[in-house]
Amino acid sequence: MTHRHDRLIDVPGLARVEGEGAMHVRVRDGEVEDVRLEIYEPPRFFEAFLRGRRHTEPPDITARICGICPVAYQMSACAAIEDACGVTVPPTIAALRRLLYCGEWIESHVLHIYLLHAPDFLGYDSALDLARDRRDLVERGLALKKAGNDLMEAIGGRAIHPVNVRVGGFYRTPAPADLAPLRERLRTALDQALETVRWVAGFEFPPFYHDHEMLALTEPGRYAIESGSIVTTGGLEFGVRYFERHVVEEHVPHSTALHAHLAGRGRYLTGPAARYTLNQRWLSPLAKEAAEAAGLGTQCRNPYRSIVVRAVETVYAVEEAIRLIDAYEPPPFPAVPVPSRAAAGYGATEAPRGTLFHRYELDADGMVTSARIVPPTAQNQAAVEDDLARFVAGRLDLDDHLLTHQCEQAIRNYDPCISCATHFLDLHVERS
């Protein structure tokens, strides 16, 4: 028999995710008894060593949390510090920040689509194996990712941990001539992004759906990236400063990451599928057309189809970057003054993987006295574990090897960013 009543499946190292995590599934008497997504990386204590730092430092420090989405941490930190200090940056600086963020969306989404997730759908163990048979696909993905990296380098100073971002704006701003070559590369990238949507829309998606409440920023009139208020599919709507009233974090024994839930409501999901479900009407006409042609409706509740949503968001980010470059006017000053004061500030932006919240408290000397950071992956853990439990329950007839492989793919649907590393699987399966 390939399916016993009592089974224990342990995957001590998940493959093709950013960071180090494990999966534990226990089946007893033919029923799923326990499912855990175990985050075992040591705590990194960023919130602790932000205390005692000057109010100008969080953007540089928090960028080191993630090498895949450092801009998300910088933008959420800037938003929170500027909120505490009562400063609003002018539209020209805000537009340049959005342009930088578009670069991160492009490079992060494309990394996930081509190198981490597509191999699952195409029957390959890794992107290296895919490249041996379909070099053209991987090269297209790398070229599209480079367009995002180039955008981050031009505005942020470098693609990994940008050095040009500061509270109040930037250390220097590009001249229009600096962005002109990027525009031409982005025109090519737009064609590649549209081809990516058509490509992933042809994958085979298991008929698996969830009923989680979904949460994202929304900004009427445009697709929310670097600003907005928070809404959920359950009808909640609140300002970023009230995030901690509605989102509760708690320790769980099996993870060094906190689990989050909506107060009085339970688990929820943030990320591309949530963003699309809550904001698809604000996509550009071209991105909407691509979504419709790919078979996406007004919402996405099949986690496997999140790869299609990421591809559609890539189209939007490329197109938005072109629009912002065309409209670019260098601000008169690269940054506005942000004098410190004793206050608390709140910021949230849409990282590639979902809503990223920051809160800082400052004293009268501009020193950080308290910090809180709530990343998307921590918010999603409870929903991922619930999905895994239902997923396993419907596939108990599979042998351990195939069930393990399919569970790993199910986790990769959410593109968990445990830290910034990728390693291959060391598999151990124990039956009882």
Side-chain angles (χ1 to χ4, degrees), residues 22 24 34-40 251-257 259 381 385:
H24 172 94
D34 186 32
V35 173
R36 298 197 302 266
L37 178 59
E38 299 175 343
I39 308 301
Y40 54 78
H251 288 278
V252 293
H254 60 271
S255 177
T256 57
H259 276 209
Q381 273 193 256
E385 290 182 348

Side-chain angles (χ1 to χ4, degrees), residues 185-263:
R185 276 175 257 168
L186 288 167
R187 291 302 311 177
T188 300
L190 184 56
D191 292 335
Q192 294 167 333
L194 289 167
E195 282 295 326
T196 301
V197 176
R198 289 190 282 268
W199 175 53
V200 298
F203 292 169
E204 184 176 342
F205 304 106
F208 183 79
Y209 301 90
H210 67 76
D211 62 355
H212 311 310
E213 192 161 0
M214 303 167 92
L215 176 149
L217 290 178
T218 191
E219 189 172 8
R222 66 176 185 170
Y223 205 73
I225 299 178
E226 81 289 3
S227 58
S229 59
I230 297 172
V231 297
T232 75
T233 52
L236 280 178
E237 182 171 358
F238 51 92
V240 171
R241 65 175 46 250
Y242 303 113
F243 183 90
E244 293 169 292
R245 291 187 186 179
H246 295 278
V247 175
V248 179
E249 288 187 300
E250 60 186 2
H251 288 278
V252 293
H254 60 271
S255 177
T256 57
L258 298 174
H259 276 209
H261 63 271
L262 290 171

Side-chain angles (χ1 to χ4, degrees), residues 213-356:
E213 192 161 0
M214 303 167 92
L215 176 149
L217 290 178
T218 191
E219 189 172 8
R222 66 176 185 170
Y223 205 73
I225 299 178
E226 81 289 3
S227 58
S229 59
I230 297 172
V231 297
T232 75
T233 52
L236 280 178
E237 182 171 358
F238 51 92
V240 171
R241 65 175 46 250
Y242 303 113
F243 183 90
E244 293 169 292
R245 291 187 186 179
H246 295 278
V247 175
V248 179
E249 288 187 300
E250 60 186 2
H251 288 278
V252 293
H254 60 271
S255 177
T256 57
L258 298 174
H259 276 209
H261 63 271
L262 290 171
R265 301 167 80 96
R267 67 182 182 274
Y268 68 97
L269 190 68
T270 188
R275 264 195 309 265
Y276 176 85
T277 298
L278 289 159
N279 294 300
Q280 57 86 25
R281 63 190 178 280
W282 304 121
L283 286 169
S284 65
L286 183 62
K288 278 184 183 177
E289 181 181 329
E292 291 171 4
L296 291 175
T298 57
Q299 60 179 330
C300 179
R301 288 193 170 274
N302 182 335
Y304 288 90
R305 294 183 68 84
S306 64
I307 193 172
V308 183
V309 176
R310 287 184 174 89
V312 169
E313 287 194 334
T314 303
V315 170
Y316 177 81
V318 173
E319 194 179 15
E320 180 72 349
I322 294 171
R323 184 191 70 79
L324 289 165
I325 290 174
D326 287 345
Y328 177 63
E329 295 182 6
F333 302 99
V336 296
V338 184
S340 65
R341 65 181 185 182
Y346 310 85
T349 67
E350 282 295 326
R353 288 158 189 82
T355 305
L356 171 61

Side-chain angles (χ1 to χ4, degrees), residues 21-41:
M23 178 185 65
H24 172 94
V25 178
R26 181 183 296 278
V27 178
R28 187 180 300 277
D29 296 327
E31 299 288 337
V32 179
E33 181 180 76
D34 186 32
V35 173
R36 298 197 302 266
L37 178 59
E38 299 175 343
I39 308 301
Y40 54 78
E41 283 194 5

Side-chain angles (χ1 to χ4, degrees), residues 15-16 113-138 199 203 401 405-406 408-409 412 424:
R16 282 185 275 128
I113 292 167
Y114 279 88
L115 302 185
L116 303 183
H117 208 186
D120 285 328
F121 292 98
L122 300 176
Y124 292 95
D125 289 333
S126 72
L128 295 176
D129 294 327
L130 173 60
R132 292 188 184 98
D133 292 342
R134 292 299 309 272
R135 182 186 179 116
D136 59 316
L137 292 177
V138 176
W199 175 53
F203 292 169
H401 178 76
H405 174 76
Q406 291 193 8
E408 282 194 274
Q409 181 182 1
R412 282 190 286 268
F424 292 99

